[in-house]
Amino acid sequence: AWSQMIVQFVDTRAYAFGIVLATYLAGLVLGSALYAGIADRVRPWLAFALLEVLVGLAVLATVAALGPWLPRAQASLDAAVRAASGSTALATSLRFALAAAALVLVPTLLLGAAFPAAVRLVAGTRQVGGRLGWMAAVNIAGGIAGTALTGFVAVPALGLVRTTVLLGCTAAAVGGIALVYGARRRAPAAAVALAMLAAAALFGLRIPTDTLARLLVAARGGTLEFYQESAGATVAVVRQPHFDGSYRRLYIQGASNSGDGLMSLRYMRLQALLPLVVHAGEPRTALVIGLGTGITCGALLAYPGLAERACVELLPAVVEAARRFRGNFGVTTDPRITLRLRDGRHDLLTTAARYDLITLEPPPPDAAGASDLYSREFYALARTRLAPHGLLAQWWPLGLGERASRSLVRSVLDVFPHVTLWTTEAHETMLLASAEPIVLDVPRLTARFEAPGVREALAEAGVATPAALLATYVTDRDGLDRFAGDAPPVTDDRPRLEHAGWGRAGDFEAVVGRVFAERRAVPLQGSDASLRAAVDTERRILMTFYQAVLDLYAGGAQTAAARLAQVTKADPDNPYYRWFLGR
């Protein structure tokens, strides 16, 4: 319950969970040490009873106290540490530690003291080892059972706040029972215990059940449209303003997982349609791993040649959330989509189906647990599930950082002999990988682009012509090999993306500079001079736009404005540029 509750104040990365776990364990150790100093001066039953009651009250109090003050305090601490030390890692770690201390430190101090108090009740002087071992075994068994019941039963049924209230009241009830059992006069003790439990329950029930949802909106801004605390994760849809309009954004475990603004619509439509258009064969089957907003999977509906469209999604709550997003062509209710609720990698392991396209819309690469969909072993598995001429389309966000990005690319290069890179949005790219050469046959590509539904779907995302589509080509395998260099790959037993360094100012610009330094001419086959000229023109416009984005990151507002004026003059009707710039 704590791990889901705290995530919106920290991160979904392994470092954040490591800091939370360290705080939890430190609280247990300190509580045990503090109790050891007073153990001989207190009555064991009274001490254990009081500690358990205080655990319950502390759990309730910390949940009730959560509010906008915590993210504000985190921001102030982060700014102060950065100013004093210049260290992003230190500032981020302390920001996370503050959230962990606010939520779990006091209850775990009390829990740490309660365990040796319980041991003292059952361990006699002649049976210390055996009784202590028995207590440790019971404690571990309780931890396992509690985790399973909380995660799979209580949270889906009651939500995080009510589950935490139930757990807090349970701790208080244990303390009350211990108080009665150890009292000399049990009737008065029972009355006191019942009064304390009733007070704790009444206090807990007054805590609003939407506390965490309101905090999410307070921290992210916007209006909450959907919120569900499920067994796998907390999923939310928030409508956020954008100039004179708005768009929706998907949050999983408090972390943004894209949305339905034009920036997201562009890269997710391309994530599905670009590989289908350039496919060297006749694509008939496609698989999307990760539903997300549904835009990537929904784009398959725009391609008329597909006979099978499948999507694998781990979280049922994400399927419910996807109904709220624009631009996905009603993917969750369309009978042409086969939607399987299971783990994407496990789906590939347990099926013999082969696909012309496997495209991924997974969580961000540096999210804890996401490396399973970015590792060399995963790509080797995916390759075995590709049909002849089959393509794997891997999303690569450029804000990942240079070291992690190089490892991600190296993982793909280690498995596939033919890999190309395409830019799908200012901050996103796509690796297109195959066991066979990726041929850009212009007549075939143009005919597919002009197919009913395809042109309209891409034009809505700012890709109005075959030339504009081909202009998103960046480089070939040689260029990617130079970028990746000697970087170690991501593997199942070395999930490097989860343990990449903290993001720093300039990381995005550095990766963009390295990537676009490897740009190559688009390797067209069957093209005439007019199309090549059109592709060159579209590439110049696109590169001018990207340079303007880099200028904005560098603080060069005037230079950026001048470049953006060139872009809008050259392509005034492009909805992507218009959305990015507002009016």
Side-chain angles (χ1 to χ4, degrees), residues 7-10 215-222 238 240 251 253-256:
V7 74
Q8 63 180 288
F9 303 107
V10 286
L215 286 175
L216 174 68
V217 173
R220 306 296 191 270
V238 177
Q240 296 180 316
Y251 288 94
Q253 291 293 74
S256 173

Side-chain angles (χ1 to χ4, degrees), residues 243-266:
F243 294 103
D244 55 351
S246 64
Y247 67 101
R248 295 172 182 85
R249 185 165 285 281
L250 175 67
Y251 288 94
I252 301 176
Q253 291 293 74
S256 173
N257 278 245
S258 196
D260 60 6
L262 243 297
M263 295 168 72
S264 301
L265 182 76
R266 178 184 174 96

Side-chain angles (χ1 to χ4, degrees), residues 260-275:
D260 60 6
L262 243 297
M263 295 168 72
S264 301
L265 182 76
R266 178 184 174 96
Y267 89 80
M268 286 189 280
R269 288 266 175 94
L270 287 170
Q271 191 74 28
L273 291 175
L274 190 153

Side-chain angles (χ1 to χ4, degrees), residues 216-228:
L216 174 68
V217 173
R220 306 296 191 270
T223 305
L224 190 70
E225 293 196 351
F226 172 83
Y227 185 81
Q228 187 174 124

Side-chain angles (χ1 to χ4, degrees), residues 198-391:
L202 288 173
F203 175 73
L205 291 173
R206 291 181 61 85
I207 302 173
T209 56
D210 63 347
T211 294
L212 297 173
R214 289 188 288 106
L215 286 175
L216 174 68
V217 173
R220 306 296 191 270
T223 305
L224 190 70
E225 293 196 351
F226 172 83
Y227 185 81
Q228 187 174 124
E229 295 165 349
S230 67
T234 297
V235 178
V237 177
V238 177
R239 181 189 286 270
Q240 296 180 316
H242 177 73
F243 294 103
D244 55 351
S246 64
Y247 67 101
R248 295 172 182 85
R249 185 165 285 281
L250 175 67
Y251 288 94
I252 301 176
Q253 291 293 74
S256 173
N257 278 245
S258 196
D260 60 6
L262 243 297
M263 295 168 72
S264 301
L265 182 76
R266 178 184 174 96
Y267 89 80
M268 286 189 280
R269 288 266 175 94
L270 287 170
Q271 191 74 28
L273 291 175
L274 190 153
L276 290 172
V277 168
V278 306
H279 195 283
E282 290 297 331
R284 301 288 291 165
T285 59
L287 171 69
V288 179
I289 297 180
L291 178 64
T293 62
I295 295 174
T296 298
C297 187
L300 299 178
L301 295 168
Y303 192 85
L306 291 177
E308 180 186 351
R309 304 170 178 89
C311 179
V312 183
E313 170 55 48
L314 182 64
L315 300 173
V318 169
V319 179
E320 289 297 316
R323 305 180 196 278
R324 276 78 179 171
F325 290 96
R326 300 170 295 192
N328 63 20
F329 300 111
V331 66
T332 58
T333 57
D334 195 298
R336 293 172 292 173
I337 297 289
T338 301
L339 186 58
R340 298 193 285 270
L341 286 171
R342 59 193 306 189
D343 175 77
R345 183 162 171 175
H346 189 255
D347 186 75
L348 290 180
L349 280 167
T350 55
T351 180
R354 289 161 70 85
Y355 301 95
D356 296 304
L357 169 64
I358 298 175
T359 182
L360 290 95
E361 187 63 35
D366 54 2
S371 282
D372 283 349
L373 294 176
Y374 295 92
S375 70
R376 183 171 60 189
E377 290 85 353
F378 168 74
Y379 295 129
L381 170 63
R383 180 175 174 175
T384 67
R385 297 297 184 264
L386 289 175
H389 304 292
L391 295 171

